[in-house]
Amino acid sequence: MPAAGIGPSPADFIRTRLPLVPLSFRPDIALHQPTPKSGLIAFLASQGRTDDPPFWAYAWAGGAALALYLRDHQEIVDGRSVLDFGAGSGLVGIAAAKAGATKVLSFEPDPLGQTALALNADANGVRITSANADAAADIVLAGDVFYDADVAARTLPTLAAHAARGATVLIGDPFRRDLPRDRIEQIGAYDVPDMGSAALVRAGIFALRP
C-alpha cells in the first residue's frame, strides 16, 4: 500500500481525474468515468491494486439494462425500499432513487467502489446508504453479479435468501455463461453499451424465482 500522504486520496482522484459524464443511454444520470488520460491503472497500482478493469469505474451492461428497466417501469420501486446488490458505480441505485424509491441501500464490498458510488450519488442529487449483503429491502436489484462461476456460487444463495423472505429480486445480465437460467424468468431486454464501449450488447432483465 502507498505511504500515507503520498498522492491524491481516492475521492480526490475520482473527482479530478474521472470526469462526470452523462450516460448515452440515460442522459439524466451522470457518472464519474475514466478517459485514456485519467491514469486510472497507475492510480490503482499506487493503491496496491491490480484491478483491470475496476468494476466501479464503468457502467456495465447488466446495470445499464436495469437502469433502463427502472426508467420504463418506475412503479416497481416507487414508494419502496431498494437494495442495490453489488452496486459498483451506483448506477442502479441512482436509477432506483430517480424512479421514486423511498430508501436506497447499496452493497458494494470494494472501498474504492464505495467512494465512487458516494460521489456519483451526490452528483446526481440522490441519497444512497451503504449496507450489508443481507440488508432487508422490498426490492433487490443485482446488475452483473454472475460474471464468473465463483462469484455466481457465492451470490446466488444470498439473492435466493432475499427472495425467500419475500423480496422481489431483479437481475440485469448480458446472458453470461454463469447466469443461473434454471432459477430465473426473463422479463425484459435492452441493447446497451458495456464498459464504456460505443458498441451495443443485448442484456436481459430477469426475475429470480423464490
Side-chain angles (χ1 to χ4, degrees):
M1 296 296 292
I6 301 300
S9 69
D12 286 341
F13 177 83
I14 292 169
R15 285 193 199 96
T16 60
R17 300 301 297 274
L18 274 61
L20 194 63
V21 179
L23 298 173
S24 61
F25 57 92
R26 277 214 57 170
D28 61 318
I29 297 176
L31 299 179
H32 287 279
Q33 300 177 77
T35 72
K37 296 182 179 180
S38 291
L40 177 57
I41 299 306
F43 172 75
L44 291 171
S46 77
Q47 300 292 303
R49 303 282 294 265
T50 58
D51 318 37
D52 187 13
F55 299 148
W56 51 266
Y58 300 92
W60 290 53
L66 277 170
L68 291 177
Y69 191 78
L70 294 177
R71 179 201 64 188
D72 296 340
H73 301 277
Q74 296 188 25
E75 70 280 359
I76 291 173
V77 298
D78 188 20
R80 299 182 180 181
S81 59
V82 169
L83 173 63
D84 183 2
F85 185 94
S89 67
L91 166 59
V92 176
I94 293 167
K98 285 180 172 288
T102 55
K103 178 171 68 173
V104 180
L105 306 174
S106 67
F107 167 62
E108 172 51 54
D110 184 345
L112 290 180
Q114 294 170 11
T115 299
L117 186 157
L119 292 172
N120 287 330
D122 184 65
N124 286 275
V126 303
R127 181 176 181 181
I128 298 178
T129 303
S130 181
N132 295 325
D134 58 356
D138 300 321
I139 313 293
V140 178
L141 304 170
D144 305 286
V145 296
F146 294 103
Y147 55 86
D148 67 34
D150 289 341
V151 173
R154 297 195 303 270
T155 297
L156 182 57
T158 304
L159 294 180
H162 280 291
R165 287 194 293 268
T168 298
V169 179
L170 300 182
I171 297 163
D173 193 276
F175 302 92
R176 293 185 179 92
R177 179 188 61 190
D178 296 302
L179 191 65
R181 296 170 188 266
D182 59 331
R183 300 287 302 276
I184 57 178
E185 176 184 357
Q186 185 175 344
I187 58 174
Y190 292 88
D191 293 321
V192 291
D194 189 24
M195 293 287 295
S197 170
L200 301 182
V201 301
R202 192 72 166 169
I205 306 298
F206 308 90
L208 182 66
R209 299 188 185 98

